[in-house]
Amino acid sequence: MAEVPDEELVRRFRDGDVGAFAALVERHERRVYNLALRMVGREEDARDATQDAFLAVLRKLQGFRGEAAFTTWLHRVTVNACYDLLRRRSRAPLPLERPSDEGRPPTPEPAAPDHAERVDLRIDVRRALLQVPEEFRAVLVLCDAQDLSYEQAAAVLGVPVGTVKSRLHRGRVALGRLLAGRERPAPADPSEDTVTP
Amino acid sequence: MTHPEELLAPYVDGVLDAAERAAVEAHLAACPRCREEVALARRAVQALADLTEEPVPLGVTGPVLAEARRAGEPRRSRWVPALAVAAALALAGAIVLPQLLRGRPGPKEGASATTAMEADRGAAELAAPAAPPLETWDADLDERAAKRLTARWAPPPSPTYAGDDEREEALGCLLESGAVVDDAHELVRLIAARYLGTPAYVGVFREGPGGGEPPSKVVVWIVASDDCRILSLLSRTL
């Protein structure tokens, strides 16, 4: 059975069908949350940004005229919610928590070593992403983590496609350098006050 | 030497046409800087591709859906919210609400004995931190003021407090809007004021993992007092 298009769900919601909005949220919450998680780093902040984004969607949906695809618009609202949240939190940079400590049952038996490595790598990537300048980070996350095309990312961010391509490259190089720096003893960087244990 | 900035990302992604690719490769052969950058970029692409999708934690979209339900309803007259409040109160369960209304004798509060004693007196709510009274403020809050509420606890210099009926209504309104009051979501302050001109109830919560663990954030819910729709939702990580 063909899926009801987003734009049709938007129309139904505008006509008073609240279930259509719930369907939109259910369909997109994972993308929104993961986009937020990669933009803001901390799980707690990603939860807040996701909630902010969907509340903004709800408020603005009546005015959504469909000039952009719904997903494009949703990504834009989410990126903006992340920027807002990062501004609000700008004084408190991230001791990024390790995942799996709270609220989850302990692993029943020693995890396979490659699992542990993968978890560490993921944290490293997330931590490193947060040190990529925001304007590069958004492009990087949209294109390389959320798999948007250059054109879609350009529409989300409201910049020319050429800008997306060059920012994407700059962002990748920045992230690559940060990841490479983690293998060797990192050069002393007085500006970095989040200490990696 | 000029570097083909805009072509390097598409080159790494393998989406250039043959002529462009040949041009980039000729440049790379002569430019160590771009060669290094391409290697770093490939590494970043791989790392991002290896990130797994995380599931959405519980409780993130619930309040949004509650708000959507409210937005989807026509504006109601005064008695309908009263019914909805009654329903929300019933939903909230016989345990939470009587505790809230009487002053919760919880193991967390060192003063639980006092609390229980004072529950027998009229002034129970004023003394029990687990069951805040409804403060009435003659003030029009904006977002900045709401943010200050996430950081500051002291009541205004000469607070006035509303009666039980209105307090119950404020509680019901918060619950109806999707707020949760339980072990992990402690209601620490309840205020009637205006928010950007709209009469509003404000609930200040301390939220945490529950089970006696310390709270990890302060959340401020602001709902319209006439139909309980969410006007603002702010949080601050402790």
Side-chain angles (χ1 to χ4, degrees):
Chain A
M1 196 175 68
E3 203 174 49
V4 180
D6 289 337
E7 288 72 16
E8 170 63 16
L9 290 173
V10 171
R11 198 190 59 70
R12 288 185 195 173
F13 172 66
R14 280 227 215 81
D15 288 348
D17 177 1
V18 176
F21 180 77
L24 280 171
V25 171
E26 191 184 355
R27 185 179 291 176
H28 294 289
E29 61 179 4
R30 209 171 158 112
R31 284 188 72 77
V32 167
Y33 175 71
N34 278 274
L35 170 56
L37 188 58
R38 287 146 188 186
M39 285 293 293
V40 302
R42 273 199 281 226
E43 284 165 29
E44 183 134 330
D45 289 346
R47 283 199 289 270
D48 289 349
T50 301
Q51 201 162 66
D52 291 348
F54 277 119
L55 282 172
V57 165
L58 182 60
R59 268 185 231 115
K60 295 176 181 177
L61 210 47
Q62 294 295 343
F64 173 71
R65 290 285 164 258
E67 64 277 4
F70 176 78
T71 46
T72 303
W73 181 72
L74 176 63
H75 278 97
R76 185 184 309 151
V77 171
T78 306
V79 169
N80 287 337
C82 292
Y83 281 154
D84 284 349
L85 189 130
L86 288 167
R87 305 260 176 287
R88 293 206 297 270
R89 303 279 152 90
S90 57
R91 289 161 299 115
L94 35 118
L96 192 70
E97 78 272 24
R98 306 213 144 226
S100 84
D101 315 342
E102 288 169 28
R104 286 180 221 178
T107 324
E109 57 199 54
D114 78 322
H115 171 72
E117 266 168 37
R118 221 177 307 139
V119 168
D120 284 349
L121 176 68
R122 188 180 58 184
I123 290 305
D124 258 11
V125 173
R126 260 161 59 183
R127 201 193 292 258
L129 253 182
L130 291 172
Q131 294 174 43
V132 174
E134 274 176 29
E135 63 183 64
F136 297 152
R137 191 194 315 158
V139 177
L140 194 55
V141 170
L142 289 172
C143 290
D144 286 352
Q146 307 290 107
D147 296 324
L148 265 59
S149 68
Y150 308 138
E151 290 74 17
Q152 286 169 320
V156 167
L157 299 170
V159 300
V161 176
T163 305
V164 165
K165 290 178 184 170
S166 56
R167 282 189 194 172
L168 178 57
H169 180 64
R170 294 264 62 90
R172 284 172 174 175
V173 171
L175 179 63
R177 264 191 224 293
L178 287 159
L179 293 174
R182 272 161 216 287
E183 284 169 2
R184 300 176 235 118
D189 181 356
S191 72
E192 192 182 0
D193 55 5
T194 50
V195 182
T196 313
Chain B
M1 188 187 295
T2 54
H3 307 280
E5 283 279 308
E6 291 189 10
L7 292 180
L8 291 175
Y11 174 74
V12 167
D13 291 331
V15 297
L16 290 179
D17 63 33
E20 287 172 323
R21 193 171 61 240
V24 170
E25 278 167 357
H27 175 83
L28 289 178
C31 179
R33 183 191 120 172
C34 285
R35 275 205 303 279
E36 191 213 359
E37 287 192 357
V38 164
L40 290 169
R42 287 195 202 285
R43 178 191 189 105
V45 170
Q46 188 57 51
L48 290 169
D50 287 346
L51 280 180
T52 46
E53 265 219 329
E54 304 289 328
V56 185
L58 292 177
V60 172
T61 52
V64 183
L65 294 178
E67 176 62 7
R69 278 192 289 280
R70 204 168 1 271
E73 288 164 14
R75 261 182 121 65
R76 294 165 302 185
S77 59
R78 195 73 185 159
W79 62 272
V80 180
L83 281 184
V85 166
L89 297 187
L91 270 179
I95 300 171
V96 169
L97 266 178
Q99 281 178 346
L100 270 175
L101 298 175
R102 271 187 239 117
R104 177 168 53 183
K108 252 197 295 188
E109 307 292 339
S112 65
T114 322
T115 305
M117 259 161 44
E118 289 189 352
D120 295 333
R121 296 198 238 134
E125 287 87 350
L126 296 182
L134 176 64
E135 304 166 28
T136 48
W137 292 16
D138 183 18
D140 193 6
L141 308 177
D142 56 12
E143 191 178 347
R144 180 184 288 258
K147 269 182 197 160
R148 278 203 300 271
L149 273 174
T150 67
R152 210 176 49 183
W153 303 102
S158 47
T160 56
Y161 297 100
D164 282 350
D165 287 352
E166 195 180 353
R167 181 165 168 281
E168 206 167 321
E169 182 157 335
L171 272 173
C173 217
L174 282 168
L175 295 174
E176 195 203 342
S177 77
V180 174
V181 181
D182 61 17
D183 181 39
H185 305 76
E186 185 193 3
L187 179 61
V188 292
R189 197 153 183 193
L190 197 55
I191 300 162
R194 290 182 303 283
Y195 184 74
L196 301 176
T198 307
Y201 295 127
V202 181
V204 180
F205 293 83
R206 273 192 289 221
E207 298 188 1
E213 295 295 310
S216 58
K217 66 176 174 178
V218 180
V219 179
V220 174
W221 287 72
I222 304 179
V223 301
S225 46
D226 67 343
D227 61 2
C228 310
R229 70 185 185 282
I230 296 175
L231 298 173
S232 185
L233 197 53
L234 292 155
S235 70
R236 185 174 70 88
T237 306
L238 291 172

